[in-house]
Amino acid sequence: MKIENIKAVGVVGAGTMGHGIAQTCSQAGYLVYLIDVNKEVLQKAMKAIKKGPFGLVRLVEKGRLESDQIDEVLERIKATTNYDEFSNEVDIVIEAIPEKPELKKRIFNLLDEKCPEKTVFASNTSGIMITELAESVNRKEKFVGMHWFNPAPVMPLIEVIRGFVTSEETFELIIQISKKLGKIPIEVKDGPGFYTTRFIAAYLFEAIRLFEEGIARLAGIDEMTKLAFRHPMGPFELMDLIGLDTMLHLGEYIFEITREPRYHPPLTLRKLVLSGYLGDPRFKPGSKGGWHDYFEHAKP
């Protein structure tokens, strides 16, 4: 399939990453089918696309979008709970659901049945091996990794991952569409965590261990990281944005395959997730809060 033949994109999952991807694709002129099993999540997603912190209204305020384009972008996004919507028009499906391998495999197996043979499948997984996920479908050569970064409408990088049998045509298509979306695609080979997640997990987990050892307080670690290394966010602020449950699942997955101790999730992270502290509630609906909320406000 050639880039000029791409007219419609399906996005599976209407959470923070999913609706950001849908917004970006619609802004680029694509018809978008945004699917989720939860109608309430879809309603919140459409509201966030229009008025969220990285939404269309905000882009108008910053001079990056004309006000009369808001309705055009929204009209190109069809929110649905019905996978039958993908059966005719969708040329590419981008999956953006929680980092649970078996859940992703079930969804891709369903998509394999519903979507036409031409449809390319791209997973936005942060670290689950593309070759493993591709085992759930028949079109393994049309399966590729397309790892976006949060917030999707703003962050420029897309990590493009070749599965073991991803075709050159599929890989190049994702490279080209990433560029059309205004992103910078960079190729990586398949492996647990790819490059970015392997790197960030080791860094974030080490920050937790230093905190657990009493080397410095949370706020101090965040502030030192920003001042010393010019990072825009400290490690605990970043984890609250990514999602503590996401970091836990990814750490468990990478450690299971590599057996490298640096990827074993620290105990404090696990305790927070078990207690309902999943990160910033703005990005993790239902969360009690994140690192700073617990240790500065809610600690007994």
Side-chain angles (χ1 to χ4, degrees):
M1 187 182 299
K2 297 183 181 299
I3 183 69
E4 55 267 24
N5 295 329
I6 304 299
K7 307 298 181 185
V9 177
V11 178
V12 181
T16 300
M17 287 303 303
H19 71 66
I21 292 170
Q23 175 185 328
T24 304
C25 291
S26 180
Q27 284 181 234
Y30 292 110
L31 174 64
V32 178
Y33 291 89
L34 177 61
I35 193 165
D36 201 290
V37 295
N38 190 316
K39 291 182 179 180
E40 183 180 350
V41 170
L42 286 168
Q43 292 170 351
K44 289 180 179 178
M46 294 303 296
K47 182 178 179 180
I49 289 171
K50 183 175 183 179
K51 297 183 177 180
F54 308 102
L56 302 173
V57 171
R58 184 67 174 148
L59 292 178
V60 170
E61 292 172 350
K62 290 187 172 184
R64 297 178 182 175
L65 192 74
E66 297 297 326
S67 58
D68 59 1
Q69 292 179 290
I70 292 179
D71 288 340
E72 294 177 14
V73 173
L74 291 172
E75 287 171 3
R76 282 194 292 267
I77 302 173
K78 182 172 184 179
T80 181
T81 59
N82 187 0
Y83 279 92
D84 288 336
E85 299 277 7
F86 285 23
S87 62
N88 296 317
E89 295 189 69
V90 173
D91 302 300
I92 293 177
V93 172
I94 303 172
E95 166 270 317
I97 64 176
E99 292 293 287
K100 299 179 180 180
E102 295 309 314
L103 175 61
K104 289 181 184 288
K105 290 175 186 177
R106 287 199 300 272
I107 293 299
F108 276 118
N109 185 259
L110 175 62
L111 290 167
D112 205 29
E113 296 176 2
K114 296 288 186 181
C115 295
E117 291 184 9
K118 66 176 182 176
T119 307
V120 169
F121 292 162
S123 176
N124 177 51
T125 177
S126 302
I128 301 169
M129 290 180 65
I130 299 306
T131 303
E132 177 180 345
L133 294 177
E135 286 302 304
S136 62
V137 303
N138 292 316
R139 63 190 83 192
K140 295 175 177 57
E141 75 286 351
K142 293 182 179 178
F143 201 110
V144 67
M146 189 182 189
H147 180 202
W148 297 61
F149 294 80
N150 189 27
V154 176
M155 295 294 281
L157 174 64
I158 290 183
E159 195 176 24
V160 185
I161 306 102
R162 292 179 186 267
F164 200 63
V165 294
T166 302
S167 70
E168 187 64 27
E169 180 183 10
T170 296
F171 182 81
E172 285 301 322
L173 178 66
I174 298 302
I175 291 289
Q176 292 304 314
I177 196 171
S178 297
K179 291 178 179 178
K180 186 171 180 180
L181 294 173
K183 304 301 183 182
I184 301 172
I186 297 180
E187 175 184 359
V188 299
K189 300 289 178 63
D190 199 13
F194 320 129
Y195 166 71
T196 53
T197 300
R198 286 274 282 275
F199 177 87
I200 204 70
Y203 152 61
L204 295 176
F205 289 175
E206 184 63 17
I208 298 173
R209 294 187 182 100
L210 290 168
F211 167 68
E212 290 176 334
E213 291 176 19
I215 298 298
R217 295 172 59 88
L218 289 180
I221 292 174
D222 275 346
E223 194 66 14
M224 284 189 287
T225 300
K226 289 184 284 188
L227 293 173
F229 307 121
R230 312 294 285 181
H231 289 197
M233 303 178 76
F236 296 99
E237 294 171 322
L238 180 57
M239 280 186 277
D240 283 350
L241 175 64
I242 295 171
L244 275 61
D245 54 339
T246 297
M247 288 307 306
L248 177 62
H249 294 319
L250 286 169
E252 291 174 331
Y253 179 81
I254 297 171
F255 176 73
E256 180 182 359
I257 296 175
T258 66
R259 311 310 294 181
E260 289 282 352
R262 63 181 176 271
Y263 298 120
H264 191 275
L267 185 58
T268 306
L269 174 64
R270 188 177 301 276
K271 287 180 178 179
L272 284 168
V273 172
L274 289 172
S275 300
Y277 287 85
L278 309 179
D280 190 328
R282 293 177 300 172
F283 306 108
K284 300 292 295 187
S287 171
K288 293 180 180 178
W291 284 95
H292 293 278
D293 296 297
Y294 180 80
F295 285 100
E296 294 181 12
H297 305 298
K299 186 177 179 181

